[in-house]
Each structure stands twice: as structure tokens, then as C-alpha cells.
Amino acid sequence: MIEVMQFEFMRNALAAGLLASVICGIMGTLVVVNRIVFLSGGIAHAAYGGIGLAFYFGWPYLAGTLGFSLGAAMIMAAVTLKDKHRADTIIGVIWALGMASGIILIDLSPGYNVDLMSYLFGSILTVPDADLWIMVSMGLFIVALVAVYYKDLLALSYDEEFARIRGVPVTALYFLLIGMLAVTVVMVIQVVGLILVIALLTIPPFIMEKYARSLLQMMIGSSVLGVVFTVAGLWISFAFDLTSGASIIMVAGIFFFLNLLVERLIPGRRKIPKKNIAVEPQRS
Amino acid sequence: MLSNDHNLLDPIIQITDLNFTYNGQPVLEAVNLAVGEGDFIAMIGPNGGGKTTLLKLMLGLLKPQRGRIRVMGKPAVRVSHHIGYVPQDVHINQRFPITALDVVLMGKLAPGKRWSKNSAQDRRDVLEALDRIDMADNAHRRIGELSGGQRQRVFIARALVTRPRLLLLDEPTASIDSRGQTAFYQLLKRLNKDVTIVVVSHDLLVISTYVKSVACVNRRLYYHQQAEITGDMLETMYPCTMEETCPVELVTHGHLPHRVLEHHKE
């Protein structure tokens, strides 16, 4: 691994992977406990529409993508709050429409062709320094926001109604959460690709959810797991000459199933004892 | 028990001509209710009869389309942070990574308390609340590791640290076995010395020994005060007997203590 580090592209790839792991560890924890994985997928895919828009109108890439994704994300957030039962359908529609409009807009843009594969799987091996700094500042921004609103986010995620009664500005906070998610997804996709973002948002927090005793522990644990997956995946991709993003996801996936397996084989203390399982009221 | 009467001059909850429709369907119609300070009232009725909706109106989570609802003399939304609320257990994610202590600390949330770490005083209050309901030993266990009854106690503690004058509970015994239920209602009875309690329930056990009054909710609301309840002469218990209002039937083995409520007038 050491000799690999003499290549600048490898150092940057590692740095980008680590930053993405930490950012996704924090946001992914909130995504998993709030059960908005599908919504995150929707944002990530709809963002492609923003890319198309930026190319077609010659807008700056980031402004176009970020603006479009934030817009799509806010619509999804509003629908989720207003009509929970229809939300998944509407998100699916925005998901598909965003992606399709992006592809058509890029078709219509003269003389320019964006590689869809690099959008899906990113190009972690060609991350420029400038992108790294964007990720650093974004990471700090997210850590700060989550720190300020930690207790409110916890209450919102655990029991929305109770949070409302305690005076937590639930609606505004939910929009903030989805907004942060949109920013995260757009920025991190640019570096590591859409598929890796979704993997890092879901797999580490899912594994950690069972072992953590607080949201904070889950965030830290997920970040650490993400780092482990990234380092291992990058090493494998280098050693066996495989696609880096896909290698990282394979490592994460193997951990995911190993974790499920271990849980089955060792019914440890974390399993709820039988007698404690909720019993329906009985007739006596 | 009759103390309820003079307290009605200044009721803690006052509902007048309340109507609520959901998707064009009337859920509650012409509801009138005055809950006196110190009351322990059970709201019973069939599923979909509007019990939970009425509770959420009292909490200010929903707004009535017509009519008025006042809690402690003010619109419900304005005082909701003075109400202790115990939600239905089933709606809460049991895999959530959180300890009993942290759940109760949530009750210490108040508008404008952002940056602050939980103060030592907050933690003392929380431990005291957990102790009050015999859950101090479980403070550091994950909420999902607790039994249904223990979890329900934690939610009560969370409601109690807000130092409420009014405690609203939504189907609190749905995930507790019958022995646990008895203990649970004894706890509520103890708490009732200081707080007014409204409990939504469809299990009839509640009514028998613990509550002071009963409201039958099935689109309309019928209030029965303890004073109306006749003794234990009848074999079968028909709370709220009235054709379609809230058809409840219970078969007993004869020695079950029971009460019969008066017919709804109208």
C-alpha cells in the first residue's frame, strides 16, 4: 500500500474516498434512521437532469446541478411531508424524469458528450486538488450543521410528533435535512459517482445501526467503516487492476452480508430475549 | 370523584362544537367536552372512530375545521409543550440506536435550546423521572432491548420530565401483556394524584378500576361521569350501549368486576 502512495492520483483518490466516507457516514446515518434511502436515490438520479441543463445552457456545472437537485429534493421533501403514502411513487417519477431530461438535454447540446459511466461510477482516480478542497469545506459545513441541530435532528428522526410538541421546528428542519442531503449527494457524486454514494450512504449505517447506542456513535462508526471499505477497495482495485468504485462497493457488500451471517449464527445479547417480545393484549 | 364537578368551572380541556374532516370524510362531529383538572378519563370506541384524531387535536398537531379547542385556556398549539404525550409504541422505530436515558432527555427539549449540551440538572431530572417509574436500572439500555411495558414506562418518564399538568396517552397498553397492563394502570393511578390524564384505549380493562370517567368516541362523543355508573349487578358489560355508536361486546365468566354505563342521551 505504501508504494502506491507515491502516485499523486492515488493520494488524491484516497483523500477523496476518506472524505466521502466521513460525509456519507454522517448523512447516511440520518438517511437510514429516517428511512429516506429511496429519496436519496431519487435526488442522486434527478441530479443528472441538472448536469444536462448546465451543459445545454452553458451554465457553470456546479450551479446548474446543485440548483436542479435542490429544487427536485425540495419537491420530494414537500411530498413526503404532505402525503406519505404517495411519496415513493412521486419520488420514482422525479427520479426517472430527472435522469431522462438530463440525457435528452445532453443529446441536444452541440458537440459535447458527457460519459454516463463516469457519472455513475465517478472517476476517483482523477480527482483534482480543487475538488478535494470543496469536499473538505463541505464536510466541515455538514459537521457544523449537524452539531448545532443534533438534538433536534435526533428528536425529529426518533419521534416526529413528540419533537413537534416540544417545539422543534420539524418542517423547517426536515427541509434542511433534505437540502443538506442534496448538497452532499451532488458534491460527492462528482468525485466518486452515483453508485458509490448510495453504497456509502446506506451500507455502513445499516451495519452500525445494530451496534450503536446513539446517533453520534452510529455516525462515527459509519464513517470509520466507510474508510475501511474505501481503503480496502482502493487497494484491491490497484492490486488486481479493477475499477476502483466498483471494488469499494464489493468490499462493502461483502461486509454487509458477513454481518448478516454473523448475526444469524451468533444470537448474541443484542437479540431481544423471547419473553420480552411485545405481546398482544390477551384475553384472560 | 365528584370533585370533577367544581373543577369544570375552569376545565383543563374545553372543546366546543368541534368538527374534523379528513379527505372529505367526517371524522369528528359536534364534539363537546370539558375535562376537569384531576380527571382520569378514558377515551374508548371502535378503531377509526376518531379517538386518536381527537387526541392529536388536543395536542395541537391537527387543527379543527370548525369549533374550538382550548387547553389550559389557550389554543392547543400554544400550550402543547406543557402537555405530556405518550404516543403509540407501534409507530416508533425499535431498532433506533438510542438508550432509555436519551429518549427521556428528549422531553427536556425546549424551543431555543440549541447549542447547549444537556445540563447536569437535566440529567438528574431524567434519572429521577426514570426512578419514579422504577426504570432507573435500565437507563443505559438500548430502547429496543426493553419489553413493551418497560418501553411504555420510558415514554411516560419522557412525558413526565416536561412537568406536565396534563398527560395524554395513545393506546399505551397495546404491546403489554395483561399482567403488565394492571401494573401499568396502577402507575397511572398513582400519577393521577398530580396530573390530569386522558388515555385512549380500546381495551376495556382500563375502565373497570382505574379511570374516573369515560368518553365514548365514534364520530360523536359521549361523556360518562363516574356518578352515572351503576353498580356491578349486570352479567355482561356493555360500555356505551347504543346501536351503532360504539358496538362493544364482552363475554365474561361471571365474577369479572364490571360496570355498565348509561345510555347516550339524544
Side-chain angles (χ1 to χ4, degrees):
Chain A
M1 195 76 197
I2 307 292
E3 69 272 23
V4 179
M5 285 301 114
Q6 57 193 298
F7 302 112
E8 194 197 338
F9 73 89
M10 213 55 200
R11 280 202 300 274
N12 279 9
L14 194 64
L18 299 187
L19 282 165
S21 300
V22 173
I23 294 169
C24 290
I26 296 170
M27 290 311 295
T29 293
L30 292 168
V31 165
V32 167
V33 296
N34 278 291
R35 296 174 179 157
I36 46 173
V37 173
F38 191 64
L39 198 156
S40 321
I43 296 174
H45 285 83
Y48 201 68
I51 296 179
L53 217 58
F55 277 116
Y56 187 75
F57 290 105
W59 295 340
Y61 171 84
L62 210 57
T65 322
L66 207 54
F68 189 87
S69 305
L70 272 173
M74 290 303 123
I75 295 172
M76 294 183 204
V79 175
T80 314
L81 277 177
K82 266 259 168 289
D83 191 354
K84 277 210 160 82
H85 303 289
R86 279 277 82 111
D88 63 336
T89 311
I90 311 268
I91 291 169
V93 171
I94 299 176
W95 175 316
L97 271 180
M99 198 92 199
S101 61
I103 287 175
I104 287 178
L105 283 167
I106 287 169
D107 282 347
L108 295 177
S109 305
Y112 207 105
N113 239 325
V114 185
D115 181 12
L116 188 60
M117 276 311 270
S118 89
Y119 175 72
L120 291 179
F121 281 96
S123 35
I124 199 169
L125 296 180
T126 58
V127 178
D129 286 344
D131 279 6
L132 283 182
W133 287 114
I134 291 178
M135 283 179 86
V136 169
S137 44
M138 197 184 62
L140 291 175
F141 173 69
I142 282 171
V143 168
L145 268 181
V146 170
V148 173
Y149 291 106
Y150 180 77
K151 282 195 277 184
D152 305 75
L153 284 168
L154 172 66
L156 162 79
S157 310
Y158 185 65
D159 187 347
E160 183 199 313
E161 278 184 347
F162 191 84
R164 226 179 255 282
I165 291 164
R166 295 310 309 153
V168 174
V170 166
T171 307
L173 203 63
Y174 188 74
F175 279 103
L176 176 75
L177 172 64
I178 305 297
M180 278 161 70
L181 187 59
V183 175
T184 304
V185 163
V186 168
M187 304 286 234
V188 182
I189 274 182
Q190 222 192 327
V191 182
V192 297
L194 177 150
I195 308 289
L196 186 52
V197 168
I198 295 185
L200 283 178
L201 276 178
T202 51
I203 298 176
F206 179 87
I207 296 174
M208 279 315 295
E209 193 184 29
K210 279 180 285 292
Y211 305 104
R213 305 183 67 77
S214 70
L215 216 51
L216 182 64
Q217 272 185 16
M218 186 167 160
M219 287 172 178
I220 295 171
S222 306
S223 302
V224 172
L225 268 185
V227 167
V228 171
F229 298 159
T230 308
V231 173
L234 276 177
W235 181 78
I236 289 171
S237 95
F238 185 82
F240 299 99
D241 194 20
L242 298 170
T243 310
S244 52
S247 306
I248 296 171
I249 293 169
M250 283 317 287
V251 173
I254 289 165
F255 265 80
F256 177 84
F257 283 110
L258 273 180
N259 175 61
L260 285 184
L261 197 71
V262 167
E263 214 170 278
R264 293 234 143 191
L265 294 180
I266 312 163
R269 63 184 176 89
R270 282 194 178 80
K271 214 169 160 193
I272 302 163
K274 253 231 158 70
K275 64 172 163 46
N276 277 353
I277 285 178
V279 183
E280 283 299 304
Q282 293 163 340
R283 282 151 276 133
S284 44
Chain B
M1 310 281 156
L2 285 172
S3 64
N4 209 12
D5 275 336
H6 29 89
N7 280 337
L8 283 182
L9 292 173
D10 184 20
I12 192 158
I13 302 174
Q14 173 91 58
I15 300 174
T16 25
D17 296 323
L18 178 117
N19 278 31
F20 188 83
T21 40
Y22 183 74
N23 285 344
Q25 294 281 339
V27 182
L28 293 166
E29 264 176 14
V31 169
N32 285 288
L33 176 69
V35 179
E37 190 104 47
D39 202 351
F40 186 166
I41 174 170
M43 292 208 291
I44 61 170
N47 283 333
K51 293 169 296 184
T52 299
T53 306
L54 189 55
L55 203 71
K56 289 189 177 167
L57 284 159
M58 290 175 182
L59 284 163
L61 289 172
L62 296 172
K63 283 203 183 80
Q65 274 104 359
R66 274 228 327 270
R68 213 173 65 145
I69 181 157
R70 296 258 153 178
V71 179
M72 302 171 206
K74 296 197 181 100
V77 208
R78 297 246 309 274
V79 291
S80 59
H81 57 283
H82 293 301
I83 305 174
Y85 173 49
V86 179
Q88 269 190 55
D89 189 25
V90 286
H91 295 324
I92 290 176
N93 179 5
Q94 289 181 18
R95 294 171 39 133
F96 201 96
I98 191 167
T99 58
L101 183 88
D102 283 340
V103 170
V104 182
L105 265 172
M106 228 173 257
K108 282 285 173 191
L109 270 176
K113 267 174 88 178
R114 289 288 164 280
W115 275 100
S116 58
K117 227 178 120 53
N118 295 306
S119 73
Q121 180 62 45
D122 283 351
R123 291 180 79 89
R124 269 200 301 280
D125 287 353
V126 164
L127 283 168
E128 194 195 298
L130 280 166
D131 194 44
R132 207 166 147 198
I133 48 141
D134 305 323
M135 284 291 294
D137 295 341
N138 294 309
H140 296 285
R141 288 178 68 193
R142 254 182 76 137
I143 194 81
E145 295 169 4
L146 304 177
S147 72
Q150 290 173 323
R151 216 164 26 243
Q152 221 36 270
R153 281 166 182 264
V154 171
F155 292 144
I156 291 209
R158 180 177 70 165
L160 289 180
V161 288
T162 65
R163 302 200 174 282
R165 273 168 67 199
L166 176 65
L167 192 58
L168 304 184
L169 302 98
D170 195 359
E171 305 265 6
T173 53
S175 56
I176 311 180
D177 61 37
S178 33
R179 235 195 24 233
Q181 287 183 13
T182 312
F184 186 78
Y185 279 110
Q186 272 159 0
L187 169 70
L188 286 189
K189 198 175 180 180
R190 223 166 70 210
L191 296 173
N192 185 228
K193 286 180 189 125
D194 310 313
V195 270
T196 312
I197 296 180
V198 178
V199 56
V200 164
S201 178
H202 61 223
D203 67 75
L204 302 167
L205 187 81
V206 191
I207 319 163
S208 54
T209 12
Y210 300 103
V211 302
K212 293 179 181 164
S213 56
V214 177
C216 298
V217 186
N218 191 4
R219 225 168 69 193
R220 287 166 178 274
L221 183 143
Y222 302 91
Y223 183 73
H224 302 267
Q225 230 176 298
Q226 164 90 357
E228 290 180 351
I229 299 169
T230 50
D232 48 331
M233 312 89 96
L234 294 170
E235 293 268 312
T236 328
M237 155 157 115
Y238 294 108
C240 322
T241 318
M242 181 169 169
E243 308 78 56
E244 284 94 39
T245 26
C246 55
V248 187
E249 193 176 3
L250 189 81
V251 180
T252 81
H253 289 295
H255 293 297
L256 196 72
H258 55 263
R259 288 171 198 190
V260 176
L261 304 179
E262 209 178 57
H263 287 285
H264 301 145
K265 293 169 208 126
E266 238 183 311

